[in-house]
Structure formats: structure tokens, C-alpha cells
Amino acid sequence: MRYGKYRFVASFLAIPLLLYIVFVVSPYLQAIYISMTDWRGFSPNRNFIGLANYAELLGDGRFWRAMWHNALLLIVVPVVTLGIALFLATMTTVAGRRGSVGHGGVRGSRFYQVVFVFPHVVPLVIAGVLFGFFYNPEAGLLNGLLRLVGFDWLTRAWLGDTTFALPAVMAVLIWSFVGFFYIVLSAAMKSLPTDVFEAAVLDGAGGFRTFVSITIPMLTDSLKTSYIYLGILMLDCFALLQVMLPDGGPDGSTEVVAQYLYRAAFTEGRFGYASAIGVALCLVTLVLAIVVLRMGRRERVEF
Amino acid sequence: MNRPRPGLDRRQFLRHAAVGLFAVSSAGVLSACATSGGGPTTAAQGDVSAQNPLGVAADAGLDVVIFKGGYGDEYALFHEELYKKAYPQAQVEHTATTQIAQEMQPRFVAGNPPDVLDNSGAQKIDYATLAAEGQCADLAPLLDAPTLDDPNVKIRDILLPGVLEQGTYDGKFLMLNYVYAAFPMWYSKPLFEQHGWQPPTTLDEMMALCEQIKTAGISPWAYGGTNAADYVFDLSLGMAVKQGGPEVAKKIDNLEPGAWQQDVVVAGVQAIEEMVRKGYFMPGSEGLKHTEAQTAWVQGKAAFYVSGSWLENEMKGIAPPDFTMTAAPVPALDSGSALPATALRTQPTEAFIVPARAKNVNGGLEYLRLMMSKEGASKFAELTASVPSVKGADAGAAATPALQSVTAALDAAGSDVFSWQINTWYVNFWKSVLQQQLGNLLAGRIDANTFISTVQSESDKLAADQNVPKFKR
């Protein structure tokens, strides 16, 4: 595999690559061009204005505010989601009953596997609608439960509260994604070689030590890929927010870049500017992917 | 442990490929079809005669696109039948969709738009953009054409008040808003009769009534804070316009300096602040969608709700059968108001346009003329239980309580109807400034003064913004 290997690989991929170029790359190139025009979207008239849209974007407070909300999502949701997924996967795959390290999980794992995956089966849009009812201040389940246990001081108009609206949305995202990453990480854990675990046990490592020193390092690749995947989802989040808080939340505290982009295009009729936002978002996404992939590079373990 | 191979290995390759594929988000969507458009088209022409005042080419096809939302599209099928009867040689094409902007965009860009477009719904094309881009044919010939039912009456004379203003951009009548929506306060008649409450006509009466309602253990008002706080503005600005006359709204629409600092406007906003302070809004409203707020209202948890006359239709099957939804005009600030107590805000909706570059502009105009005939308008009223924007439509519909009370309120108001254009001319300002600040006011995060100063400064900013097409009236 030295000489001409790329050509060799590409020959297999010619047709999908062609489709990809036509349907993905070319719209992107068009978007970059449109982002340098003042196109309003519903006529062929457009003038080339260079980087004026980008200059405006740099000074657009609402854009940066939306970007900040995406950044918060990007920090909180993947960490919590992967943390929970990792914990659950560990408990049901390698937590091992006494004397069977690296095999099977705690008692009832089969049942738990089904339960954990269930939220992933519910489409995000439907989850958004359901949680809308859940957060309903008067008739909602959440405040109802809080009142039941006497925590009346905790009840709030969750989606109408500038402090809690975004965390409330994050909770829905976490609830929805844990199932999928639970599957991913469980599968990754099951493919770990058992001899390493056995060696760790022989060396006298306990459950927690094994988890920190063996499981996590061997899952680095899966975790990185999961983080990138989740990160890309967090930089979007359009569907859920459009269902739950279509107008940007209380005092605009939950508006994300994708919603701002949509609004620039369809309510302001500024498709040129909206394209500039899209291109900026794409750059951020690529940078994120590259940074995460390069993070913590070390000698790779292949098994 | 293997030494990492230089270059490309299986895993790396797949991972890079995967990341490359994933890194594709929504930006590509906007440009999916932005290629060059065609030149100006020549529209079909027929001979003008008494029977054919608009010069329709008898054999030219007609392409009609209808927003299929709350009103369905059955009425349009009926109107198309009328057209086919008049022009048997014409091929009529009917499309019904909810995705107006997404589906029409490529057609407008490529220069082959339909001949009639019902531009409505959540996915409508922004009116101001269409007008500014010169994509709507001037409907002036239609206004001066005789009606179908009486050759001595012109179309412009049968339009209900406000229809002309609503569709006029820069002095040109471009959009026919076919549904005559009113924006009263709504309440349940039996509930009010049971307690002996009367709908208020002045702000003082309103405050007194709210206190009584609150004492009775019901929230006086509800609203949907997450997406429809702006409904409450019908009360606030409505009171202001009733007090000071239509000029008040005109100044706001024209983005004049100090427009929001007019005394009556400030008083209208202060009224809301006071109502918030006194707890006259249903607790938790700021976290509700409009549908949830309306549901709480029909369940009797709140007494008043402001919305358009589609409300009854929207709550069909949810409101109890004996709810008897009833309309009342919003009050004025005090008894010395410029407009009478019966004055009502009406804003015609459901904008029909004839695209400027349609292949059959005259046919499109003729289709609108058929819609406004007695037969066409009455059928619409019957099928949708709504009031069309023309005089003389017999509502053959089973008159529901809400429709009856709105019709009565419209009759009582006569020509004393008012509205504002800022919500259709500058949608983004309305949503991202006004609705947001109103949400803050209603949730008690800001006071009336902050509201006024913020909205005024944003209005000034908008007036200076070169990127937004401006309109005057």
C-alpha cells in the first residue's frame, strides 16, 4: 500500500464521491458564494458585496450571543451525556459480578439495556413536544412532582425562566442522547480484550482502578468520535429548540445559531447574510472536529 | 502493541471520512437551488370587453398555489371550478401545501412563479421581501374592475375597511388579504353571566373587573409566553390607539422618532406593568405555549384571552361545548377616547398575490375577482366559518357563538376599525424586539420605562438599518 493507494481507494469510492460532490460539496461552494452577496432569496437579483456580511457578523451581538448558547450546549451536554452513558455501559458490560471480571454486567443487565435505549427510540421532535408538557408550570408533571414532595419553592415556569430555560432544554437533549451513546460505548467495551482485565485483576486492581486505568484509555477513540458527533449535533440543535422555544426563549436566552440563521433567511429575507452565518457555523464545526481529533494524541493501541 | 503505520490505516481513514460527512450542517440547504433566473416573461393577453374587463386569454392555463392550513383548500377548489366555468378552455392547476417559502423559492428565483399564490402560514414568504423585490403584480387593474355581480360597482368599493391599507406597499396595492380577522378580547359568556361581570370599556373598569375576577379565584388573563406574548400587545397598543386615534399607530409604523414615547402608548404599556404587579396574569404563563395557555383558558383557569378570530376554530374539540366564546373590543384608556368604545382592531390575513412574472397575470387577477364575487365569498364563509374581506358574503355557515359575536362586533364597529402594519412590515423587529421585551415586561423582568426606552432605541436603529426595506403609510 505505498504507491497510488489513494487512487486505488478512490476508484472504489468514485460513485459515492461523485454524489457527494454534487449534493454536498457544490451547495457548500454555492453557499460560500451567496454569503458574499446581498441576495434576498426570492428573485434572481443579487449583488456581489465581498466580505461585508462577514464584517457585519463580527459585530453582530445577537449572533455572538447565539454562539455562546451553542458553546454552553457544547460544553455541558456531551460531558454529561457521555459521563452517564459511560457509567451505565460499565455497569451492564464490564462491572462484572464477583469472579467474572470483564464479562457481563450487574444482575438484570438485559432488562436495563432495553430501558436505557428506549429514549433514543423517541424522535427528538416528539421528545420536545412531550417535555413541553412535562415542563408546563401549572399542569406539568415536573412541578406536580415537586408539589407532591413539598418542594413548592422549587417550582418554576421552567421554559419561561431566563435562568432555567436553557438547562431545561439541555436535560431533554441529554435524556434523548444517552441511549445512543450507551449502545456505542457498550459495543466498544464488549470488544475490549479480556486478558487485559484479567491481568489488572491479578495485579490487584479494584473495579474503580480498572475503570480509570484500563477501560477509559482503551475507549479513547470511541469517546473522541462520540464527542465530535455530539458536538456537531450541539452546534445545530435547531429541531428541538424550534419545537420547544421557537422564538428564542425568555429574553432570547435560548436562541442558537441555527435558529438565528433560519430567522435571517426566512423572516428577514437576508439569504446572503444567512449563508454567511451558515459558513461561519460550518467553519466552527470543522475546527471543533480537528481540535478534538488532535487532542491527546498518543501511541495508538490496536487490538 | 503495534507500531502505528505511517499514512493511512483502515480506522483513520474511516474516521476522517465520517467526520467529513458529519461536518455537514444546515448551510447547504439555503443554497440548494440558487442558480440564475430567467428574464422577464410575457404574460398571456386576451381582448378586453365588458365580459372580460381584465383581458384574460381564454385558453391560457392558470396555476394556483394554496396554503393548506386552518382553512383547508376546499374553498379554492370551488373557486377554481368557477374559473373553469368562465374559461372552459383553460387548464387549471391546483397545488396545496404548507411549505410555501421552501417550495416557491426556486420558482420565484427561476422566474416561473404560479399565477395565484396564497402566501400564508408559518412558512410564508416574508411580505416585505416580496414587495421590495418587486415580485408582486400591481393589483390596481383589479381594484378598478367591475364586480362580477354588479357591473356598476367596482371591486375597490366592496372591500371591507382596512383591506386596502393592509395590502398596500409604497402606494401600490400588491396583496389581497382574503380573510377578515378581528382581534378582540375573548371570554366565556356563561362564566361572566354567572358572576355578573361585564366586559370593560375603559382601563379603570378593566382594573376593577380584574380585581373582582381575581377575588373569585380565577386569573383575569392568560397568555402564551414562549411563543405568543405579542398577543397581549393587542390590548396595550389597542387601548393606546383607541385613546389617541389611528395616528398613534401610523407614527409607530413609520418608525418616527419618539413614536413609542407618545403618552397614550406609554400609558398602555404602564397598564400592562400594573396588571403584572397586581398579579392579573395567570401564574406560569411565561412558560406556556399559546396552545397551552388557550387550553388553560377554556378550562376556566383564566377569564380573558386576546387573539385573532381563528381562536374558536383552533380550540375546536378542546373548549367545552357550553363555553360560548364571545368577543369584546379592547377597552380605551378612558371615556374621552378618540375612537368609540365599539372600535375594533381588524387585520385582514391570508395574503393572495399575483406574481409579477406569472405567465398569466390577467388570469390571476380574474381569479381574485371570482373569489370576491358573492358566490365565491359566500362559499368561503360557509366552508371555513370565517369572514371574508368583502361586503355582501352571506355566511351560509352554521353560525358558531364566536363567529356570531365577531360579526356583531364588526357590525357595531362599522368603519371604526384600526390596525398597525409594523407586525407585517418588520416581522423581525416585531418578534425579536417587541415580543421579547413584552415577555420581559410580563414576567416582571423589566418595567414599563425600560420597555419603552428599549423598543424606541431599537426602532431608531431599525429606521437607520440599510438592510431592511422600509415602507410608509
Side-chain angles (χ1 to χ4, degrees):
Chain A
M1 274 298 283
R2 267 281 171 278
Y3 177 70
K5 70 183 163 194
Y6 286 101
R7 211 177 311 165
F8 177 70
V9 171
S11 69
F12 283 102
L13 294 174
I15 290 172
L17 206 62
L18 187 73
L19 289 172
Y20 186 74
I21 286 169
V22 170
F23 290 109
V24 178
V25 178
S26 87
Y28 258 86
L29 295 176
Q30 287 184 51
I32 291 170
Y33 167 68
I34 290 169
S35 73
M36 298 185 203
T37 66
D38 61 358
W39 190 45
R40 298 196 67 88
F42 289 91
S43 76
N45 325 326
R46 52 171 182 258
N47 304 307
F48 186 80
I49 54 171
L51 295 174
N53 284 329
Y54 291 94
E56 189 183 340
L57 200 58
L58 284 176
D60 184 345
R62 278 191 66 198
F63 167 75
W64 289 109
R65 192 168 175 218
M67 198 51 115
W68 168 241
H69 297 148
N70 279 108
L72 286 172
L73 287 165
L74 196 61
I75 295 161
V76 177
V77 175
V79 169
V80 178
T81 305
L82 293 177
I84 296 174
L86 202 55
F87 172 76
L88 297 178
T90 309
M91 295 313 277
T92 58
T93 46
V94 295
R97 288 180 281 281
R98 195 172 316 206
S100 61
V101 159
H103 299 280
V106 296
R107 211 174 299 278
S109 286
R110 296 249 147 188
F111 169 72
Y112 291 131
Q113 280 166 5
V114 175
V115 174
F116 295 156
V117 172
F118 178 71
H120 170 61
V121 181
V122 180
L124 198 52
V125 171
I126 292 173
V129 174
L130 291 176
F131 272 91
F133 295 130
F134 175 77
Y135 288 127
N136 180 310
E138 286 307 300
L141 192 60
L142 179 56
N143 280 354
L145 286 172
L146 288 172
R147 287 190 195 106
L148 198 67
V149 294
F151 282 19
D152 287 59
W153 54 274
L154 248 180
T155 57
R156 290 198 167 35
W158 299 99
L159 296 177
D161 186 302
T162 44
T163 314
F164 286 91
L166 195 60
V169 172
M170 286 176 179
V172 182
L173 288 163
I174 291 163
W175 178 87
S176 186
F177 288 131
V178 160
F180 178 74
F181 292 99
Y182 166 75
I183 299 173
V184 170
L185 296 175
S186 291
M189 280 184 197
K190 281 187 179 132
S191 68
L192 295 180
T194 49
D195 50 348
V196 184
F197 284 91
E198 280 161 11
V201 173
L202 288 176
D203 285 347
F208 183 72
R209 184 62 206 255
T210 312
F211 175 73
V212 173
S213 304
I214 309 282
T215 316
I216 298 247
M218 288 180 108
L219 287 178
T220 310
D221 268 3
S222 299
L223 286 170
K224 267 194 208 172
T225 311
S226 300
Y227 185 86
I228 292 172
Y229 180 59
L230 253 175
I232 289 166
L233 289 169
M234 288 309 108
L235 284 170
D236 179 7
C237 268
F238 178 77
L240 181 68
L241 280 158
Q242 204 63 4
V243 168
M244 290 182 80
L245 293 159
D247 293 338
D251 200 17
S253 61
T254 64
E255 189 173 60
V256 293
V257 175
Q259 281 181 297
Y260 187 49
L261 180 154
Y262 181 87
R263 210 174 287 189
F266 290 102
T267 65
E268 284 188 275
R270 296 187 64 195
F271 278 75
Y273 192 58
S275 295
I277 298 170
V279 171
L281 189 59
C282 175
L283 283 176
V284 171
T285 311
L286 284 174
V287 167
L288 171 85
I290 291 164
V291 166
V292 174
L293 278 176
R294 304 223 160 232
M295 226 164 40
R297 279 204 154 177
R298 52 163 110 192
E299 208 166 310
R300 301 173 42 83
V301 183
E302 294 215 358
F303 43 84
Chain B
M1 288 274 188
N2 296 336
R3 218 166 26 82
R5 286 187 295 263
L8 190 85
D9 72 23
R10 174 176 58 89
R11 287 160 184 275
Q12 267 189 325
F13 177 80
L14 287 176
R15 205 174 40 238
H16 287 308
V19 168
L21 282 166
F22 275 140
V24 166
S25 59
S26 46
V29 175
L30 292 177
S31 59
C33 52
T35 45
S36 63
T41 50
T42 43
Q45 280 292 348
D47 296 329
V48 176
S49 67
Q51 274 69 48
N52 187 0
L54 292 164
V56 180
D59 56 351
L62 188 77
D63 185 350
V64 182
V65 177
I66 296 291
F67 165 69
K68 191 174 179 176
Y71 304 114
D73 66 340
E74 227 181 309
Y75 72 91
L77 291 168
F78 178 79
H79 293 154
E80 286 158 22
E81 283 307 317
L82 291 181
Y83 190 89
K84 279 184 216 162
K85 242 182 257 167
Y87 302 95
Q89 299 165 310
Q91 282 281 335
V92 179
E93 204 175 320
H94 171 88
T95 315
T97 175
T98 55
Q99 306 279 316
I100 297 286
Q102 286 80 350
E103 287 183 27
M104 291 302 117
Q105 187 171 27
R107 297 189 59 179
F108 274 103
V109 173
N112 67 350
D115 303 311
V116 176
L117 171 63
D118 169 13
N119 183 28
S120 300
Q123 318 282 340
K124 63 173 167 278
I125 306 170
D126 178 44
Y127 299 147
T129 303
L130 270 185
E133 292 287 88
Q135 289 284 22
C136 308
D138 190 343
L139 303 181
L142 173 70
L143 290 177
D144 294 323
T147 60
L148 223 65
D149 305 292
D150 183 352
N152 301 319
V153 178
K154 286 183 175 173
I155 289 281
R156 81 164 64 239
D157 301 328
I158 61 163
L159 297 177
L160 289 175
V163 177
L164 211 52
E165 290 80 355
Q166 185 62 35
T168 300
Y169 289 79
D170 284 337
K172 279 192 188 149
F173 184 62
L174 304 177
M175 303 180 196
L176 172 71
N177 289 279
Y178 191 59
V179 181
Y180 205 63
F183 293 80
M185 308 188 292
W186 297 96
Y187 61 96
S188 164
K189 204 181 183 107
L191 178 76
F192 273 52
E193 281 171 354
Q194 178 196 327
H195 290 277
W197 296 332
Q198 287 292 330
T201 55
T202 64
L203 180 56
D204 286 345
E205 285 175 26
M206 159 81 96
M207 289 295 180
L209 178 62
C210 284
E211 197 52 48
Q212 285 178 25
I213 294 172
K214 203 181 159 190
T215 314
I218 299 172
S219 294
W221 288 82
Y223 68 96
T226 61
N227 67 337
D230 55 325
Y231 285 2
V232 178
F233 218 61
D234 283 1
L235 173 66
S236 174
L237 194 54
M239 289 193 291
V241 174
K242 272 178 106 153
Q243 190 65 30
E247 278 301 307
V248 173
K250 202 179 259 191
K251 283 184 181 151
I252 285 175
D253 291 341
N254 291 341
L255 306 177
E256 286 179 22
W260 292 90
Q261 284 142 346
Q262 297 174 84
D263 292 346
V264 286
V265 176
V266 174
V269 175
Q270 280 168 341
I272 302 288
E273 188 199 326
E274 189 182 341
M275 288 166 69
V276 171
R277 241 196 347 261
K278 292 184 171 168
Y280 292 164
F281 290 98
M282 189 173 78
S285 283
E286 67 266 31
L288 295 177
K289 271 213 153 76
H290 73 288
T291 44
E292 292 173 302
Q294 285 161 202
T295 304
W297 170 68
V298 297
Q299 287 169 345
K301 289 177 188 160
F304 281 116
Y305 191 78
V306 207
S307 173
S309 37
W310 58 79
L311 184 61
E312 185 177 52
N313 214 16
E314 204 168 26
M315 299 315 283
K316 207 185 270 177
I318 301 170
D322 58 349
F323 189 77
T324 322
M325 214 175 277
T326 309
V330 299
L333 292 175
D334 63 47
S335 50
S337 58
L339 293 173
T342 50
L344 188 64
R345 179 180 164 228
T346 58
Q347 189 160 36
T349 58
E350 206 75 7
F352 277 77
I353 65 164
V354 176
R357 295 159 79 199
K359 289 180 186 55
N360 188 4
V361 171
N362 294 359
L365 296 174
E366 179 71 9
Y367 180 87
L368 298 187
R369 196 167 75 108
L370 287 163
M371 284 173 74
M372 290 189 280
S373 67
K374 223 179 196 62
E375 193 182 3
S378 301
K379 191 74 182 179
F380 174 82
E382 181 193 328
L383 287 171
T384 62
S386 311
V387 183
S389 297
V390 286
K391 291 172 194 158
D394 305 319
T400 58
L403 187 63
Q404 271 176 330
S405 74
V406 162
T407 311
L410 284 170
D411 290 344
S415 59
D416 286 316
V417 293
F418 62 91
S419 190
W420 39 83
Q421 300 296 340
I422 189 153
N423 58 340
T424 50
W425 287 354
Y426 309 111
V427 178
N428 196 47
F429 171 83
W430 182 264
K431 279 275 173 194
S432 60
V433 174
L434 203 118
Q435 181 177 285
Q436 204 175 89
Q437 295 308 325
L438 191 65
N440 288 343
L441 182 73
L442 288 164
R445 288 190 287 265
I446 61 172
D447 61 7
N449 289 339
T450 312
F451 176 92
I452 294 289
S453 60
T454 310
V455 173
Q456 182 63 58
S457 75
E458 289 288 340
S459 166
D460 295 341
K461 219 184 282 179
L462 174 65
D465 187 346
Q466 298 300 316
N467 294 309
V468 182
K470 302 296 185 310
F471 303 99
K472 287 268 184 282
R473 72 185 181 101

